[in-house]
Amino acid sequence: MRPALKAEIDKVAEVAGYLWQKGWAERNGGNITVNVTELVDDALRAMPAISPARPIGQTLPRLADCWFYCKGTGRRMRDLARAPMANGSLIRILPAGDAYEIVADAPVTPTSELPSHLAVHDWLIATGSPYRASLHTHPIELVALTHGRPWLEKDAATRMLWSMIPETKAFCPRGLGIVPYMLPSSVELAEATLRTLADGYDVVMWEKHGVFAVDVDIMDAFDQVDVLNKAAQIYLAAKGMGFEPEGMSDAQLRELSVAFHLPK
Ligand code: 2HA
Ligand code: ZN
């Protein structure tokens, strides 16, 4: 395997370990897909498939001949951290963009969320985005927040989380998009996620379930979720001490945006 591709998969394994350590990845919770097309060499391209072609369930012509590393369905993040190619696989999308085949290393079936992840990757390509990684995980304090009705109002959680510690706005400058509760793995959830990403968020909160994040690579996607969840922990720590945290002021948040050239 080319060193650049191995390095990218090693990053996925490192992040999978963090997800487990943080308690965000119970059992087989969460999934990861990374578009590795630019990292695949001719030797790998020439390799025969080790699975029959399987339908994606939709046609995504922009993904024709693209390659993805995908966590395996039912696999545990804590196992993927040790053995990424035994708990995930490299797949190739067929030229028609409606089916995929597994190429390496083992015939590990990709995440059950593959259709929604691939729809997001297709949209990222359509918009000319440099983002190549998508992450779904269950960060405890962020999920807890979505059990409080006021935090589900558009940008209410974003405003509060940004105001807990300056790093949050600096490193998650587009904030936290909100998707109301929908059945896991449903087409409706996938479509609502895409709409919310298209609204300009990199991290989307699924009410009472988890987050879906995109970024240039898996480490950056993880970092955005990590800073948001840290802010939620600070909020809850202050509440646990028995008071409502003051939060940074609007003026202080504006000052930060100017100093760091942030988009919002
Ligand atoms: O893949 O977390 O929501 C397991 C999940 C689905
Ligand atoms: Zn989930």
Side-chain angles (χ1 to χ4, degrees), residues 118-182:
L118 290 182
V120 167
H121 286 290
D122 180 75
W123 173 79
L124 289 171
I125 291 173
T127 57
S129 168
Y131 289 5
R132 294 289 175 268
S134 65
L135 165 69
H136 165 58
T137 189
H138 304 158
I140 301 168
E141 288 80 6
L142 285 176
V143 176
L145 211 59
T146 69
H147 287 264
R149 188 58 43 194
W151 301 119
L152 298 172
E153 291 294 320
K154 186 174 163 60
D155 293 331
T158 296
R159 171 69 185 76
M160 180 277 280
L161 295 166
W162 279 352
S163 79
M164 286 297 107
I165 175 171
E167 271 73 5
T168 314
K169 192 177 189 193
F171 298 116
C172 187
R174 299 176 194 284
L176 183 63
I178 304 284
V179 166
Y181 183 84
M182 290 176 200

Side-chain angles (χ1 to χ4, degrees), residues 29-31 113 136-138 206 209:
N31 27 71
E113 298 277 1
H136 165 58
T137 189
H138 304 158
W206 293 346
H209 179 168

Side-chain angles (χ1 to χ4, degrees), residues 10 29 40 57 71 85 129 132 134 137 171 186-187 195 201 220-221 237:
D10 285 348
V40 170
K71 174 184 173 283
M85 293 310 295
S129 168
R132 294 289 175 268
S134 65
T137 189
F171 298 116
S186 62
V187 176
R195 277 198 304 276
Y201 299 96
D220 283 359

